[in-house]
Amino acid sequence: MERRILVVEDQKDIADLIAMHVRDLGHSVDMVHDGRVGFEAALTGHYDLLILDVMLPGRDGMDIVRTLRIEHVDTPVLMLTARSSELDRVLGLELGADDYLTKPFSIPELQARVKAQLRRREMAAPRAGTAAAPAESRIVAGGLAIDPVRRDCSIDGATLALTTKEFDLLLHFARNPGRVFTRAQLLDAVWGTTFEGYEHNVNTHINRLRAKLETDPANPRYVLTVRGVGYRFNDRLGA
């Protein structure tokens, strides 16, 4: 199925290269070379994937993805960065990006990341011709309340400001209380990829999630570590 992809990259040769190989996958591509124009295009929500450079004239990629998430635009974002430090990559993910590629990158890797994000989006969307599933009811566990339809959650009545991936991760855990997930299983379920090199992203997001969710993140009550295996959601909290 053809998808619409927006590439926001100020280096025209790189943008052309990305567009050519994404079109090889059977998708349509629009290109923008300025951050402000790219943000306005992404804000429409008409795209199935945003491939976004960090360093842009007009408005940088970090600010774009942060504002898109504030405006509740949930288009998947694949960030491109020439910065190699883990801090920069983590910051992009924490602001709401779904994935990142560090320049220079290989074409097969680019295409694999694009496929993974589009597959994840397709799995989350209702299938044409099928009856809409009934809205999932709120999940309540201890003092935590999650509304999957409104995509918001609170702890003891106080709203939690979660990024897109933090919310998806927490919701996945809460839907499966007591079940132990490996990092690879969480990558597949929440990020739509099984690439082992991303497993540190799971650790980072769980640490950030615990910092917002737990009274004492060092001794978590909700998202528990199963040593040597992975993580599970506490199934003994009660409603």
Side-chain angles (χ1 to χ4, degrees), residues 120 136 139 146 148 168 170-177 181 233:
R120 173 68 180 159
E136 183 178 351
I139 299 171
I146 305 172
D168 290 344
L170 179 59
L171 180 60
H172 184 66
F173 276 125
R175 281 171 170 166
N176 301 277
F181 292 98
F233 190 80

Side-chain angles (χ1 to χ4, degrees), residues 12-75:
K12 190 176 184 301
D13 56 340
I14 295 178
D16 289 341
L17 181 69
I18 293 170
M20 178 176 68
H21 290 289
V22 171
R23 288 180 180 129
D24 285 344
L25 297 175
H27 306 302
S28 64
V29 179
D30 292 337
M31 289 185 292
V32 174
H33 307 299
D34 175 84
R36 288 193 182 93
V37 178
F39 171 73
E40 293 299 327
L43 194 60
T44 65
H46 293 163
Y47 293 94
D48 297 292
L49 177 65
L50 171 60
I51 301 177
L52 177 66
D53 190 27
V54 171
M55 303 298 291
L56 291 166
R59 189 167 190 172
D60 71 77
M62 295 288 192
D63 184 53
I64 289 174
V65 72
R66 178 185 64 82
T67 309
L68 287 175
R69 297 316 186 214
I70 290 173
E71 296 293 332
H72 303 292
V73 176
D74 63 356
T75 305

Side-chain angles (χ1 to χ4, degrees), residues 74 117-127 151 168 189:
D74 63 356
Q117 290 305 318
L118 293 177
R119 182 171 62 249
R120 173 68 180 159
R121 186 171 179 83
E122 183 176 354
M123 289 173 62
R127 294 182 181 180
R151 288 186 63 84
D168 290 344

Side-chain angles (χ1 to χ4, degrees), residues 60-114:
D60 71 77
M62 295 288 192
D63 184 53
I64 289 174
V65 72
R66 178 185 64 82
T67 309
L68 287 175
R69 297 316 186 214
I70 290 173
E71 296 293 332
H72 303 292
V73 176
D74 63 356
T75 305
V77 175
L78 171 59
M79 296 201 78
L80 306 177
T81 175
R83 300 169 175 173
S84 59
S85 79
E86 183 174 358
L87 179 62
D88 288 321
R89 296 195 298 270
V90 169
L91 177 59
L93 292 168
E94 288 305 313
L95 289 175
D98 297 273
D99 199 355
Y100 65 85
L101 270 176
T102 302
K103 299 176 184 177
F105 50 81
S106 71
I107 297 307
E109 186 176 15
L110 167 69
Q111 291 181 323
R113 303 289 181 86
V114 169

Side-chain angles (χ1 to χ4, degrees), residues 173 179-183 186 202-204 206-207 210 223-226 229-233:
F173 276 125
R179 179 178 172 182
V180 179
F181 292 98
T182 66
R183 292 170 181 81
L186 292 170
V202 175
N203 299 341
T204 298
I206 286 178
N207 289 339
R210 282 173 170 168
V223 179
L224 309 179
T225 299
V226 180
V229 183
Y231 303 93
R232 69 178 178 88
F233 190 80

